[in-house]
Amino acid sequence: MIILAFFFLLRPGEYSDSESHDSDPFRLCDVQLFIGDRRLDLFSDSDALLLQSRFASLTFTTQKNGIEGEVIGLACSGDPYVCPVKSIVRRVLYLRNHGAPPTTPLARLFGTSRRVTSSFITSTIRDAVAFLGPQIGFLPSDVSARSLRASGATALLLGQVDSD
């Protein structure tokens, strides 16, 4: 979920699984996967075919971007792990293998009482920063789940990606 938040510039309520009224998480039915022009069927296409996806998109429904029905899509990053497409495919396969209905939040976990909440994401990021140490230039207290959206936007700016 951290990878999705970073690449898609998501707010914590859009990529976590919380019972909060401020939360409008993306759901399985908000995902589209593609190989070229072919849109894949998340529920009937094989795992092997889904793993070949080269483009993924999320449809904004009730999220805070203010444009219901807007679709944001991204292609593969080239990295086998830190890739928005591969990350979405892994979530789709996990949810599908657990029989999740289309309205299931992408961050839903099965077989545990734990939830992927914004506080859980904050804790995970802070643990990673503490592990990497002060040489990275900031402290665990400097980051939170909200940092992912700003970090992704900063990466786009530094990469000189067109703001449109």
Side-chain angles (χ1 to χ4, degrees):
M1 295 314 301
I2 289 172
I3 294 167
L4 293 182
F6 176 83
F7 279 100
F8 281 95
L9 310 180
L10 302 180
R11 296 170 177 88
E14 296 169 342
Y15 69 90
S16 60
D17 185 11
S18 169
E19 293 179 355
S20 167
H21 297 305
D22 293 336
S23 181
D24 287 310
F26 281 99
R27 303 160 302 160
L28 190 53
C29 61
D30 299 324
V31 172
Q32 301 84 43
L33 295 172
F34 296 87
I35 299 174
D37 291 340
R38 179 179 174 200
R39 181 176 174 176
L40 303 179
D41 186 314
L42 303 182
F43 294 96
S44 65
D45 283 334
S46 70
D47 290 2
L49 191 60
L50 294 182
L51 287 165
Q52 293 177 42
S53 299
R54 295 294 171 253
F55 189 85
S57 63
L58 293 173
T59 301
F60 285 77
T61 53
T62 58
Q63 291 75 22
K64 290 184 177 179
N65 74 334
I67 306 171
E68 187 173 336
E70 181 178 30
V71 178
I72 304 293
L74 296 169
C76 288
S77 69
D79 188 280
Y81 302 104
V82 184
C83 171
V85 177
K86 301 292 184 199
S87 181
I88 286 182
V89 169
R90 288 189 296 266
R91 289 308 306 157
V92 168
L93 292 175
Y94 174 83
L95 294 172
R96 187 170 85 167
N97 289 336
H98 285 87
T103 56
T104 304
L106 289 179
R108 180 65 45 92
L109 298 176
F110 293 92
T112 180
S113 61
R114 289 184 100 170
R115 287 182 170 258
V116 179
T117 62
S118 61
S119 60
F120 177 77
I121 295 288
T122 293
S123 177
T124 302
I125 295 169
R126 288 180 176 168
D127 287 348
V129 170
F131 176 80
L132 294 170
Q135 68 270 16
I136 62 173
F138 49 91
L139 302 171
S141 59
D142 294 331
V143 295
S144 72
R146 295 193 179 282
S147 302
L148 295 169
R149 189 167 195 237
S151 298
T154 300
L156 289 173
L157 181 66
L158 293 173
Q160 300 179 347
V161 174
D162 186 353
S163 63
D164 291 335

